[in-house]
Amino acid sequence: MKRAFLTNLLIAIGLLSVIPDTHAAPPDVGSAATEAAFRDLYKELVETNTTLSSGSCTLAAERMAARLKAAGFADADLHPFAAPDHPKEGGLVAVYLGRDKKLKSILLLAHIDVVEAKREDWTRDPFKLVEENGSFYARGAFDDKAEAAIWVDTLIRYRHENFKPRRTLKLALTCGEETAGAFNGAQWLSQNQKDLIDSEFAINEGAFGELDAQGNRVALQVEAGEKFPQNYRLDVVNRGGHSSRPVKDNAIYRLAGALKKIEGYDFPAQFTDGSRAYFTGMAKIQATRGNSDVATAMNALVKDPNDAQSIALVSSKDPSWNATLRTTCVATMLDGGHATNALPQRARANINCRIFPGVSAETVRQKLEELVADPAVKVTTLETRGPSSPPPPLTPRVLGPVQKLTAQFWPGLPVLPVLQPGATDGEFLNAVGIPTYGIEPVFAGPDLGNIHGLNEYVGVKALLEGRDFLYRLVKIYADGK
Ligand SMILES: [Zn+2]
């Protein structure tokens, strides 16, 4: 069944297609007036600081609620929420009622919190939206206020047009996606208010429009499934002593030895239907770009998941391809010692793993312990972010409209399913039975707009194209039978 499924999937997503016309202009679906309204909304959202340290998601959600209300949303359709002990980490659920109450709704999800940013590290003020040389610069300009603003703007446009969809549309703006341990709105809603957000499926961040380093469009990604983030701690303790009389048994050296063993290990390659389709599609793209060795290897590993040579070649070419093939674990933080003139009594390291769907956190912990093979090095599983869940099925219902619009916007451009190596709040919704897909047709280059980093940015044209694409995509889903 699987192989036939893959071929059907490939045919369905038109990967067996032509060379893409990377410069075709997409059809215009928005007036200048609506674009100006969008820019104004986007600016307000971006310039509302929503970092955990000094911002307020609750304020940002209130401002978006005010705009929806001004557009005609009734109070009964606006559901602001905040936990009493996390007053600044609130969010909003908005409901746009459909004609047929028997049909399940479609959920539009976006997180409004952003990663921390220090003014002194940035070229511009990270909390001021700056438009320069065709790009918008600010913290959250891309991740994830681009899609959050597009969702709010889209519902406002529908309201102004008096659009009456078959299905109800729901919008959830949530906080806490970027920080483990903070109040996560998507988790809270899925576990405490599931009825309020329950839907046939949800659309979220998690996949983008892929540009190559020259700025040519490569493919439009659709996320179907994500790996599971999990931190582990390696811990070594030692009785220490005076550094003038060193002994062989040293906490830092033991830890270093353990880290080297983890560094040298690659978890076995694994596949989901989505990642098989990804490599099959990417093989075609690589072939059109003259990278025949990579194309051959990708086709080979799809045929034979144990083809070590092909897997090694593909893994070595691009960290994203390596991350799509397997569980990965990497050292991200280190601390050890307590005084310069004393033998260390303790040394610790954080190992951040991205676990392949279907693999448990404990299985990975045991593997790390086996690799380290040193009873003095304790391997502990740290706080688990949330449940790991199987990838949602990539159905023609979800994929069909994306391809149809892609053919109109960017003729010949492949639509590629991806297994997201990073994590999104989709994991909480998938876990409670709301299949969640990453669809964000905003094109970005290999630096992904420096999300989470310094001087985050998004292309103005890319953002506006993504806005028009999603405005039309949601209409198709909302009117779907
Ligand atoms: Zn994000």
Side-chain angles (χ1 to χ4, degrees):
M1 210 288 284
K2 275 234 157 60
R3 190 111 352 256
F5 167 89
L6 179 62
T7 317
N8 295 343
L9 176 68
L10 294 176
I11 291 164
I13 55 183
L15 277 173
L16 306 173
S17 65
V18 297
I19 305 287
D21 170 359
T22 57
H23 298 295
D28 175 29
V29 286
S31 69
T34 66
E35 185 189 315
F38 169 71
R39 283 168 170 266
D40 188 56
L41 181 161
Y42 176 59
K43 181 175 169 57
E44 180 180 49
L45 184 58
V46 167
E47 295 190 348
T48 306
N49 178 339
T50 53
T51 57
L52 186 64
S53 66
S54 58
S56 170
C57 286
T58 306
L59 176 61
E62 281 165 5
R63 288 176 170 171
M64 294 303 108
R67 285 177 178 266
L68 291 164
K69 193 164 180 191
F73 276 72
D75 286 336
D77 296 327
L78 298 172
H79 307 267
F81 64 91
D85 50 348
H86 294 271
K88 291 193 170 180
E89 296 157 60
L92 173 74
V93 173
V95 177
Y96 190 105
L97 290 172
R99 304 192 311 271
D100 188 338
K101 303 290 178 288
K102 292 190 303 305
L103 292 174
K104 290 196 98 176
S105 56
I106 307 291
L107 176 65
L108 313 176
L109 175 69
H111 69 85
I112 51 176
D113 62 311
V114 296
V115 168
E116 301 292 335
K118 291 197 190 112
R119 174 67 191 90
E120 60 272 24
D121 297 343
W122 281 53
T123 309
R124 309 163 193 81
D125 179 345
F127 299 105
K128 275 269 167 286
L129 184 67
V130 175
E131 183 172 355
E132 224 173 80
N133 306 326
S135 291
F136 283 123
Y137 291 88
R139 172 53 87 224
F142 200 172
D143 182 13
D144 184 28
K145 288 180 175 177
E147 195 151 69
I150 288 172
W151 290 149
V152 177
D153 168 74
T154 298
L155 292 187
I156 289 173
R157 291 166 79 183
Y158 292 169
R159 180 63 71 202
H160 285 162
E161 296 162 15
N162 202 20
F163 169 54
K164 292 197 173 359
R166 193 189 296 270
R167 292 167 183 266
T168 292
L169 290 167
K170 296 176 178 177
L171 165 69
L173 299 177
T174 62
C175 202
E177 196 274 348
E178 298 291 10
T179 30
F183 172 79
N184 184 298
Q187 183 175 23
W188 184 81
L189 286 170
S190 55
Q191 289 165 1
N192 301 284
Q193 297 266 355
K194 190 188 171 205
D195 292 350
L196 186 58
I197 58 167
D198 198 16
S199 296
E200 184 198 0
F201 60 85
I203 314 173
N204 185 29
E205 63 170 356
F208 310 102
E210 205 177 325
L211 295 176
D212 64 18
Q214 289 70 45
N216 301 312
R217 291 190 188 97
V218 175
L220 178 62
Q221 301 176 347
V222 172
E223 183 213 304
E226 49 194 60
K227 294 166 76 176
F228 177 70
Q230 181 63 56
N231 285 306
Y232 299 88
R233 187 170 60 218
L234 303 189
D235 222 330
V236 187
V237 292
N238 185 288
R239 63 190 186 83
H242 199 286
S243 65
S244 65
R245 295 171 348 103
V247 293
K248 285 292 170 222
D249 185 17
N250 175 293
I252 291 177
Y253 292 159
R254 286 199 110 140
L255 181 64
L259 292 173
K260 287 303 282 179
K261 290 170 191 164
I262 292 173
E263 177 202 13
Y265 178 73
D266 282 330
F267 283 81
Q270 296 181 260
F271 294 86
T272 64
D273 289 333
S275 66
R276 260 190 220 97
Y278 172 78
F279 283 116
T280 305
M282 187 47 78
K284 193 158 180 63
I285 293 169
Q286 293 305 315
T288 59
R289 290 162 170 260
N291 305 326
S292 54
D293 58 336
V294 174
T296 308
M298 284 180 172
N299 285 326
L301 61 78
V302 167
K303 280 199 191 69
D304 175 8
N306 302 310
D307 181 338
Q309 209 182 346
S310 301
I311 288 168
L313 185 150
V314 171
S315 303
S316 68
K317 291 287 181 188
D318 184 319
S320 304
W321 293 342
N322 178 54
T324 300
L325 274 169
R326 60 178 95 233
T327 292
T328 57
C329 288
V330 65
T332 53
M333 294 179 77
L334 195 58
D335 72 84
H338 57 285
T340 55
N341 60 356
L343 301 176
Q345 288 167 351
R346 176 170 223 143
R348 293 187 297 192
N350 184 78
I351 304 292
N352 179 265
C353 295
R354 303 286 169 157
I355 302 176
F356 204 88
V359 179
S360 76
E362 178 53 20
T363 303
V364 173
R365 192 199 68 76
Q366 288 172 6
K367 186 67 197 178
L368 292 174
E369 199 168 59
E370 180 198 316
L371 288 170
V372 163
D374 179 350
V377 181
K378 207 158 158 286
V379 183
T380 313
T381 305
L382 297 181
E383 185 197 344
T384 297
R385 195 182 116 104
S388 79
S389 40
L394 258 183
T395 60
R397 163 97 171 102
V398 171
L399 226 41
V402 176
Q403 289 136 351
K404 191 172 141 236
L405 287 175
T406 302
Q408 290 166 16
F409 274 65
W410 309 291
L413 191 74
V415 175
L416 269 191
V418 294
L419 172 70
Q420 174 52 255
T424 75
D425 279 343
E427 71 173 278
F428 301 113
L429 277 76
N430 281 316
V432 295
I434 304 174
T436 302
Y437 302 91
I439 304 174
E440 186 169 6
V442 175
F443 281 81
D447 67 4
L448 268 184
N450 297 337
I451 58 172
H452 290 210
L454 286 181
N455 304 319
E456 180 180 346
Y457 72 98
V458 65
V460 174
K461 187 164 167 281
L463 178 65
L464 295 174
E465 277 179 358
R467 169 182 175 251
D468 287 336
F469 189 107
L470 290 170
Y471 162 91
R472 298 174 64 170
L473 179 68
V474 173
K475 268 195 174 176
I476 298 171
Y477 285 149
D479 261 342
K481 288 207 177 65

